[in-house]
Amino acid sequence: MGDDILLDTKIFTFLKVAEFKNYTKAATSLNLTQPAVTQHIRKLEEYYNCKLIDIVGKSINLTEEGEALYNYANFQVANEKQLIGRLKSIETPLKVGATLSIADYYLPSYLNLYMGNSNELFSLTVKNTKSIIEMLMNNELYCAFIEGIFDKSLFNFYEFCNTKFTPVARKGHPLDGKESDLSEFHNYPLILREVGSGTREIFENYLYQNNDSILSFNKIFEISSFGIIKKVLKNSDAISFMYEEVAKREVELGELSYLSLKGYSIERPLYFIYPCNSLMKERNEEFYRNITL
C-alpha cells in the first residue's frame, strides 16, 4: 500500500456502490460502464489489500473493512467539501451592489472601516435600483445596498440608515427661503435621475399620491450623475430631489439650498438586502455585521 492517500474517483465509485448496493445503478449514477465500476472496486481492494464488498447472489454487502472505508471516505468527502467552500470564500470576492446615492455619499466611510477590520474580499458594482435588483435575482450579485422600492417578500433586508429626501436648488433660487406650494415648483425645470433609479421612483410616488405627475413641470431633464446634477443646479433655476447627504457639502458651502415644500416630509430608509433563497446567506450576514460594527 502506498504512503499517500488520495480522494479520487475510485472512492466516489465505492461510495455509490455502497449507497445503491447495486453495480448497475452505481454505474448509471456515475455515468460509467458497469465493467468500469467493477474495475474501480478491484483497484481499491488491491490498494488496501483486503476485500471490501461481498457479493452473494444478487445481494451486495460491505465487509467489515468495507464499512471502515465507507465511514472514512464519507468523512473525507465532507472535509473536502468544507475545504473547497473555504477556498472559494477566500478566493472569490463577495459580490456587492450599491445604488449611486449610497455608493457615493453613504457607503465610503463604512467601507473604509470594514477594510481595516476584515480580511473578506469584496467587489462593488454601482448601478440604479432596478439594475441592482435584476443582478441580485440573476445571482450576478450576492447582496446590495439600495434605496427605493423593492419586493420585500423576495429579499432578506436590514435598514442600513434613515435619511431625508428633499428638494434642492441653487442658493438664492426664487424659492429659496420660503415655503412653497407644489404648484410653484411646476414653474421651474426639473432634473431627475433615469428611469429605474430609486430616487426617481420615490419622487414619482410622492407626486402620484398628490394627484400630480412630472408632466406638470416646466421642463424635465434626465441626468444619471448626481455630480452633474448638482453642477447644473448651481448655475440654473432648475430644481431636483435627492437625499440630504448628497447635497450636504454644497449646502454647507453656500452653493445649494434645501427648499421647503408645504406638507412635504419624506424620510426614507436605505436598505441592505439579499435574496431570501441565497446560498450566500452566511457570508452576506457576516459582511453586514462587520460593515456596521
Side-chain angles (χ1 to χ4, degrees):
M1 190 184 333
D3 293 328
D4 297 323
I5 297 175
L6 298 177
L7 191 63
D8 63 10
T9 55
K10 293 186 288 295
I11 290 292
F12 289 104
T13 300
F14 169 75
L15 290 173
K16 284 297 180 183
V17 172
E19 176 186 347
F20 290 110
K21 296 187 181 300
N22 185 293
Y23 277 58
T24 302
K25 289 181 179 178
T28 301
S29 173
L30 295 165
N31 199 27
L32 297 172
T33 63
Q34 187 169 328
V37 170
T38 302
Q39 185 180 34
H40 281 187
I41 300 302
R42 187 181 300 121
K43 290 285 187 184
L44 283 176
E45 290 179 334
E46 290 174 359
Y47 182 81
Y48 289 105
N49 195 27
C50 63
K51 192 170 181 61
L52 299 172
I53 293 176
D54 274 332
I55 302 176
V56 180
K58 293 185 178 180
S59 178
I60 294 178
N61 296 296
L62 298 180
T63 64
E64 188 175 346
E65 293 87 348
E67 289 284 356
L69 178 60
Y70 179 77
N71 292 332
Y72 172 81
N74 271 323
F75 278 123
Q76 289 298 91
V77 170
N79 287 337
E80 185 166 33
K81 286 180 179 178
Q82 288 183 10
L83 175 61
I84 290 171
R86 178 59 181 158
L87 292 175
K88 284 183 177 178
S89 72
I90 293 171
E91 294 175 357
T92 305
L94 188 70
K95 298 176 183 177
V96 183
T99 53
L100 187 63
S101 300
I102 296 175
D104 284 352
Y105 301 98
Y106 292 88
L107 205 50
S109 60
Y110 289 93
L111 292 180
N112 288 339
L113 184 63
Y114 175 81
M115 290 166 68
N117 295 327
S118 175
N119 293 323
E120 173 84 32
L121 300 178
F122 67 88
S123 63
L124 182 66
T125 298
V126 180
K127 291 183 179 292
N128 66 34
T129 300
K130 182 174 182 291
S131 298
I132 292 290
I133 294 292
E134 288 175 354
M135 292 181 76
L136 285 168
M137 298 303 291
N138 292 330
N139 202 35
E140 296 173 62
L141 294 173
Y142 300 153
C143 57
F145 297 90
I146 73 161
E147 63 208 68
I149 299 164
F150 63 96
D151 187 343
K152 290 183 171 65
S153 69
L154 299 177
F155 296 92
N156 292 322
F157 58 90
Y158 297 96
E159 290 189 11
F160 183 55
C161 68
N162 277 276
T163 185
K164 290 182 179 179
F165 185 70
T166 187
V168 177
R170 67 174 173 83
K171 187 70 174 176
H173 187 281
L175 299 182
D176 185 14
K178 59 177 288 191
E179 189 176 48
S180 307
D181 291 316
L182 182 57
S183 59
E184 294 180 77
F185 276 56
H186 294 162
N187 299 322
Y188 299 95
L190 173 67
I191 303 177
L192 294 174
R193 290 276 312 285
E194 76 283 358
V195 174
S197 71
T199 52
R200 179 170 181 147
E201 188 172 22
I202 291 168
F203 181 60
E204 289 188 329
N205 252 9
Y206 162 75
L207 291 177
Y208 177 78
Q209 291 167 8
N210 285 273
N211 298 312
D212 207 336
S213 79
I214 59 174
L215 298 178
S216 300
F217 285 78
N218 177 274
K219 292 179 182 177
I220 301 166
F221 298 98
E222 287 187 9
I223 301 175
S224 62
S225 163
F226 275 119
I228 297 175
I229 289 174
K230 290 187 291 183
K231 287 179 180 177
V232 173
L233 291 178
K234 292 178 197 177
N235 297 289
S236 71
D237 281 342
I239 60 174
S240 188
F241 285 72
M242 61 189 68
Y243 292 117
E244 195 171 51
E245 191 71 19
V246 175
K248 182 179 178 181
R249 182 173 180 275
E250 288 77 9
V251 170
E252 290 175 348
L253 290 172
E255 298 170 343
L256 296 177
S257 288
Y258 301 126
L259 301 182
S260 179
L261 179 57
K262 285 181 184 176
Y264 177 92
S265 177
I266 295 181
E267 188 165 318
R268 298 288 303 183
L270 306 180
Y271 291 99
F272 173 81
I273 71 171
Y274 63 88
C276 289
N277 61 352
S278 174
L279 298 177
M280 304 297 292
K281 178 178 179 178
E282 290 185 10
R283 284 185 74 188
N284 292 334
E285 292 279 346
E286 184 179 4
F287 175 73
Y288 181 71
R289 285 195 300 270
N290 288 336
I291 207 167
T292 53
L293 287 175

